[in-house]
């Protein structure tokens, strides 16, 4: 059975490698991986998300999400507007620039997914997905 340090090293290496691939794929759009993560999440939400929801979904601190959203706003990828029910909260939506780049952004994450699955059969991947779900549940109980 692998020991704790082996598992920890593998988990960190997987995340680091995935981030490197995403960063490389998004460089031509002048986007960082953190910026890409926000756009990638917003692509699935037609009405946008609050900065707080984005921070929760991406497990990023409020200050970091604010800096990254500011950067995306300056680059023209997102639009922020105060929410009517709470003037302290911003709703973040995608601009046409982000929508035009959506195929390239989604492709960056697809490259990670397809690269990770090389040599792994469907049934093996389904077991892996179930195990990851159990690990997640254990860590969050």
């Amino acid at each position: 059975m692998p020991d704790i340090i082996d598992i920890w090293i593998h988990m960190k290496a997987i995340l680091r490698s995935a981030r490197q691939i995403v960063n490389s794929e998004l460089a031509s759009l002048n986007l960082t991986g953190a910026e890409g993560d926000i756009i990638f999440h917003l692509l699935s939400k037609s009405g946008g998300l609050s900065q707080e929801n984005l921070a929760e979904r991406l497990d990023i601190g409020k200050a970091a999400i604010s800096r990254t959203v500011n950067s995306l706003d300056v680059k023209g990828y997102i639009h922020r507007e105060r929410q009517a029910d709470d003037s302290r909260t911003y709703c973040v939506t995608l601009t046409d620039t982000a929508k035009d780049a959506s195929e390239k952004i989604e492709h960056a994450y697809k490259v990670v997914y397809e690269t990770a699955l090389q040599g792994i059969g469907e049934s093996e991947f389904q077991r892996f997905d179930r195990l990851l779900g159990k690990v997640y549940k254990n860590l969050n109980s």
Side-chain angles (χ1 to χ4, degrees):
M1 185 162 159
D3 76 13
I4 189 169
I5 193 71
D6 294 330
I7 298 298
W8 190 255
I9 288 170
H10 284 126
M11 288 190 314
K12 296 290 280 184
I14 288 167
L15 287 173
R16 183 177 52 252
S17 296
R19 287 182 215 274
Q20 288 172 344
I21 292 169
V22 168
N23 282 332
S24 175
E25 291 289 323
L26 295 178
S28 66
L29 296 171
N30 190 31
L31 291 171
T32 66
E35 292 168 334
D37 288 350
I38 289 173
I39 294 172
F40 190 60
H41 274 77
L42 288 171
L43 285 170
S44 68
K45 296 292 183 185
S46 60
L49 290 168
S50 71
Q51 283 186 211
E52 188 172 295
N53 283 343
L54 282 168
E56 287 173 19
R57 284 173 154 239
L58 296 168
D59 194 27
I60 299 173
K62 289 181 183 180
I65 204 81
S66 181
R67 283 190 305 273
T68 308
V69 165
N70 284 340
S71 175
L72 285 168
D73 191 14
V74 168
K75 292 178 181 181
Y77 283 99
I78 59 101
H79 177 72
R80 285 185 304 176
E81 57 182 73
R82 293 200 185 271
Q83 293 194 4
D85 58 339
D86 184 353
S87 63
R88 298 169 296 162
T89 305
Y90 286 99
C91 182
V92 181
T93 56
L94 297 174
T95 63
D96 288 340
T97 300
K99 291 173 186 172
D100 292 343
S102 66
E103 282 185 37
K104 288 183 178 181
I105 293 166
E106 288 173 339
H107 175 76
Y109 294 87
K110 188 175 182 179
V111 168
V112 172
Y113 184 77
E114 290 175 351
T115 302
L117 293 181
Q118 289 177 0
I120 299 174
E122 186 176 336
S123 64
E124 191 176 13
F125 178 68
Q126 288 174 352
R127 280 193 314 271
F128 176 68
D129 184 50
R130 282 192 303 274
L131 285 171
L132 280 179
K134 288 179 182 181
V135 169
Y136 175 78
K137 184 178 175 185
N138 291 342
L139 292 173
N140 287 292
S141 62

